[in-house]
Amino acid sequence: MDGSIARPRPMLALFLRLATALSLATMSMLVKLAQQRGAHLAELIFWRQAITVALVGGGLLLAGRFATVRTNRFGAHARRALLGLVGMFFVYGAVILLPLAEATTISFTTPMFAVLLSLVLFRERIGLYRWAAVAIGFAGVLIVLQPGGSGAIDPFGAAIGLIAALFVALISLQIQDLNTTESPWSIIFWFTALTAPIAALALPFVATAHDPATWGIILAMALCGALAQVLLTSSLRFGSAATIIVMDYTSLIWATIYGFAIFGRVPPSTLWIGAPLIILAGLVIFYRERQIARRKATEPVS
């Protein structure tokens, strides 16, 4: 069992990650819808963070559990907040610039970036299986993007989506580390409490008046974001990122449904060719990570 997991409960972790995928897909749909109705990217990020910190902080105060946010690792929370805020701009930007299904498919490159990060940050030896998975995933990305083809998607949006996937991989490592000493409520509270004031600095330049329907969409988006944050952080408390990330692929189902029902967008046939390759790459990486973890668990301590 992975010693970095606070409380290993693999089935619960998988269920929480499944619910996370639905919450994030719904939030992405609402982000795109709100932006089309005149809400600015920075404004959406502020309201997501401000509403989340109000809900979490207020709920903990009413429950008499505000002490759970105390921490001796403020620096780690600050680094997570900085990385998370920048990552949110890329994640939301990809959703706004790209169709939902394509943005979701590109986000599936996160496991590939996790492999590359393990090489760069931890000097981990990467074997043939994982290098092959990265190559397969890259081929899938090229098929989805169709560079030079008549149906090619916006290259700037695609670049934003790939950068977003890199940030998600980095943030997952940070959250898993924080989970070894911090409660999920502490991680969420400090992330939102530190980033909401920073995001508020942009409001005088981007905030505009909205009709009640748009405010309702913004509120629903923030609530879905808050729920997704709780579910995501909790899933990484009970299972490793390499194990549970397989559940993220279900978000493509929701993104496709939302894309068609809300935005009238039918994904091109190339998406259904490239997406399985990217998903296959993630599954191969998942399988190898499990094999390596089990091998380490059975090795005698010298």
Side-chain angles (χ1 to χ4, degrees):
M1 190 64 71
D2 190 341
S4 65
I5 302 169
R7 298 178 183 176
R9 295 181 62 183
M11 293 308 297
L12 176 59
L14 289 171
F15 173 78
L16 290 171
R17 195 72 174 207
L18 193 63
T20 301
L22 172 57
S23 299
L24 288 174
T26 305
M27 184 198 70
S28 295
M29 177 270 291
L30 293 168
V31 165
K32 195 173 189 70
L33 196 58
Q35 189 272 337
Q36 289 184 354
R37 296 176 68 96
H40 192 276
L41 169 63
E43 186 182 4
L44 294 174
I45 289 175
F46 166 76
W47 285 115
R48 176 188 165 176
Q49 299 303 82
I51 290 174
T52 301
V53 73
L55 289 173
V56 172
L60 291 174
L61 279 172
L62 290 173
R65 297 183 58 194
F66 195 74
T68 59
V69 306
R70 291 177 182 170
T71 180
N72 293 319
R73 301 184 64 189
F74 186 79
H77 283 287
R79 289 190 294 273
R80 184 269 186 275
L82 178 61
L83 205 63
L85 183 61
V86 176
M88 284 180 70
F89 273 95
F90 284 108
V91 171
Y92 280 30
V95 167
I96 289 170
L97 292 170
L98 299 172
L100 281 178
E102 282 84 339
T104 301
T105 300
I106 290 175
S107 75
F108 294 158
T109 58
T110 294
M112 290 182 278
F113 283 114
V115 169
L116 298 176
L117 286 173
S118 67
L119 173 66
V120 174
L121 298 179
F122 307 118
R123 305 296 182 188
E124 184 177 333
R125 182 178 175 274
I126 307 301
L128 177 62
Y129 280 99
R130 287 190 286 179
W131 278 125
V134 171
I136 291 170
F138 181 68
V141 170
L142 288 178
I143 292 172
V144 171
L145 299 186
Q146 304 178 65
S150 58
I153 65 175
D154 176 15
F156 179 69
I160 294 297
L162 289 170
I163 295 172
L166 170 61
F167 271 89
V168 170
L170 280 168
I171 292 164
S172 293
L173 294 175
Q174 284 186 315
I175 293 175
Q176 191 163 319
D177 173 60
L178 282 167
N179 263 318
T180 60
T181 60
E182 312 292 288
S183 73
W185 299 114
S186 175
I187 297 171
I188 295 167
F189 175 81
W190 286 113
F191 172 50
T192 53
L194 292 171
T195 53
I198 299 174
L201 296 175
L203 290 182
F205 307 99
V206 301
T208 57
H210 302 298
D211 58 34
T214 303
W215 279 118
I217 293 169
I218 292 173
L219 176 61
M221 177 274 302
L223 292 175
C224 283
L227 176 61
Q229 233 169 3
V230 173
L231 292 169
L232 174 65
T233 304
S234 298
S235 71
L236 290 169
R237 187 172 184 80
F238 297 113
S240 70
T243 301
I244 62 178
I245 208 167
V246 66
M247 293 293 100
D248 291 1
Y249 300 130
T250 61
S251 61
L252 180 57
I253 299 172
W254 301 111
T256 302
I257 292 172
Y258 286 142
F260 177 73
I262 307 297
F263 304 103
R265 165 77 181 187
V266 178
S269 58
T270 50
L271 180 78
W272 304 114
I273 300 171
L277 291 177
I278 298 173
I279 292 172
L280 174 63
L283 291 174
V284 170
I285 292 169
F286 156 75
Y287 174 74
R288 288 301 294 167
E289 291 286 352
R290 291 295 294 166
Q291 279 194 325
I292 293 169
R294 287 174 179 169
R295 187 183 307 135
K296 288 180 179 178
T298 57
E299 286 179 352
V301 180
S302 57

